[in-house]
Amino acid sequence: ANKFIPRSSYDQIVEYIVKEIDDHKGKLAVDWASFSERNGRFTLGAALAIKARVLLYAASPLHNPDNDVEKWKKAAAAAYDIISNPDLNYSLDSDYGAYFQGNRSLSSPETIYVVRREQSNAMESNNYPIATPGGASGVTPTQNLVEAYEWVGDPVAGDPYANRDPRLAASVVTNGSTWNGHVIDQSPGGRHDMSAPNASKTGYYLKKFLTDNLDLTQGAKVQHNWVSYRYAEVLLNYAEAMNEAYGPDQAPGDYALTALDALQLVRDRASLQLPIVTAATRDEFREAVKHERRIELAFEDHRYWDLLRWKDAMEVLNKPVRGVKVTKTGEGKWSYTQTEVATRTFLERNYYMPFTRSEVENSNHTLEQNPGY
């Protein structure tokens, strides 16, 4: 046998994954409603969601440099297989913030596949502000992200977080908001003074996934589940692929939704006050769907991989990490000055990781190292 098998191409791997799913999807359960003890096992929807994501990635600029439109058509069709299947019957949860709390994702019509976990307080102890007993600050969102949330009303002088897309308040703890039973005050001398050891350097803390006011000093625990695939992502996958394949407002053949239709469903769930997207060209819609993924899927392990597949990482990930400095101007009033918290470096070669030298040597150099390493 030949020990030194050449590396398969990206397209070959995609073809293999899709074939595995297509060959076996007919044997997969739609759900386990009649067999509750099997809840959590793989379903048809989970398989089709993987296929849809794989084909979207395969159609993206990093892996489709010649922009073969057939790849985009396949990605759109794969996402539509989920949307149009009457047996699957997925829909968006009515409450974006609550969806990520406790057990809600286990019974929500938005969930396609979720990883179930034991009750714990690890998420809270890792990510509550350091000033909360038992908290360690953990993930601290950036000003770069916070300012990307759109307005749903007129800006309020002195409060940059008012009248924003409600997904901001559901995802990020901002200064002046109430969290863990008290108002966040990050000004000098405030309870959450940013100069305190291990306090947030950006002026923000993570809220998404966390249960409010969990008593860590008493060891309180709560359910957490990790949603791997959900219907909102499928709609955004579909919107992106349809735009690239057919344009923002075209739904040929049996398609019942345009790219704009699918995008609007996600935005309407967030807030009916969000501006209507009126992208008239592929380029305009591409920017709109990139924005929507950044907001809707924040902290769900999509953003980095999206920047890679779009070939946007060289531009975005070489920009400084920004935050805010908070100054108190009166009772319940603050002013905010933007600050540069850290610099980042992303090189062209970082679009792919290197193979270890030992793997290259063990393959008798049949395995070719990725460019730049």
Side-chain angles (χ1 to χ4, degrees), residues 51-296:
K51 177 182 173 181
R53 191 187 294 180
V54 165
L55 286 173
L56 181 78
Y57 275 49
S60 300
L62 180 63
H63 310 299
N64 184 20
D66 297 328
N67 198 27
D68 179 356
V69 73
E70 291 303 315
K71 291 186 176 183
W72 287 112
K73 288 180 179 179
K74 286 181 182 178
Y80 196 63
D81 280 348
I82 303 167
I83 295 168
S84 62
N85 189 322
D87 294 328
L88 295 178
N89 202 29
Y90 295 117
S91 62
L92 296 173
D93 195 291
S94 60
D95 190 325
Y96 177 86
Y99 174 71
F100 300 98
Q101 307 294 320
N103 280 325
R104 186 168 178 132
S105 60
L106 297 184
S107 58
S108 172
E110 182 161 352
T111 300
I112 298 175
Y113 189 72
V114 63
V115 178
R116 293 140 192 266
R117 294 183 173 153
E118 295 287 323
Q119 285 201 347
S120 75
N121 57 26
M123 283 292 291
E124 285 74 20
S125 60
N126 287 337
N127 294 291
Y128 272 177
I130 195 73
T132 300
S137 292
V139 173
T140 54
T142 65
Q143 175 65 19
N144 312 55
L145 171 64
V146 169
E147 69 188 18
Y149 287 84
E150 296 168 72
W151 302 100
V152 293
D154 293 331
V156 176
D159 187 353
Y161 314 118
N163 285 344
R164 293 272 189 175
D165 181 333
R167 288 174 291 188
L168 173 61
S171 305
V172 178
V173 178
T174 56
N175 193 73
S177 66
T178 300
W179 185 235
N180 290 327
H182 54 263
V183 174
I184 301 293
D185 181 358
Q186 299 177 93
S187 62
R191 179 169 184 157
H192 295 272
D193 190 330
M194 293 178 68
S195 66
N198 297 319
S200 172
K201 299 292 189 291
T202 63
Y204 304 105
Y205 292 94
L206 180 68
K207 183 187 285 188
K208 196 172 183 178
F209 318 118
L210 306 187
T211 296
D212 190 12
N213 225 14
L214 200 62
D215 191 340
L216 299 179
T217 60
Q218 295 298 315
K221 295 181 180 180
V222 71
Q223 186 70 47
H224 296 91
N225 302 295
W226 180 255
V227 179
S228 300
Y229 293 89
R230 61 186 179 96
Y231 190 58
E233 183 210 339
V234 171
L235 288 171
L236 293 175
N237 293 351
Y238 176 79
E240 182 178 347
M242 283 294 283
N243 177 60
E244 300 297 344
Y246 306 107
D249 56 0
Q250 299 299 310
D254 295 330
Y255 289 113
L257 288 176
T258 66
L260 277 163
D261 292 336
L263 184 71
Q264 198 61 50
L265 286 172
V266 176
R267 289 172 66 80
D268 284 350
R269 187 268 296 274
S271 171
L272 293 174
Q273 276 67 54
L274 278 169
I276 300 294
V277 174
T278 57
T281 66
R282 274 187 175 86
D283 290 349
E284 287 175 1
F285 188 89
R286 187 181 304 123
E287 293 310 307
V289 80
K290 285 180 178 182
H291 162 82
E292 205 63 36
R293 288 182 71 92
R294 182 184 193 183
I295 299 302
E296 174 69 23

Side-chain angles (χ1 to χ4, degrees), residues 286-346:
R286 187 181 304 123
E287 293 310 307
V289 80
K290 285 180 178 182
H291 162 82
E292 205 63 36
R293 288 182 71 92
R294 182 184 193 183
I295 299 302
E296 174 69 23
L297 305 174
F299 309 110
E300 294 179 54
D301 196 27
H302 287 275
R303 177 66 173 167
Y304 178 72
W305 309 108
D306 280 347
L307 292 175
L308 293 187
R309 69 182 179 85
W310 291 328
K311 289 295 294 281
D312 285 349
M314 281 288 286
E315 177 191 355
V316 176
L317 295 183
N318 282 308
K319 292 178 178 176
V321 175
R322 290 180 291 115
V324 289
K325 180 182 177 183
V326 182
T327 305
K328 196 158 194 171
T329 58
E331 191 58 41
K333 295 182 179 180
W334 296 268
S335 65
Y336 302 90
T337 307
Q338 290 200 23
T339 60
E340 188 173 306
V341 177
T343 56
R344 296 185 291 195
T345 301
F346 186 95

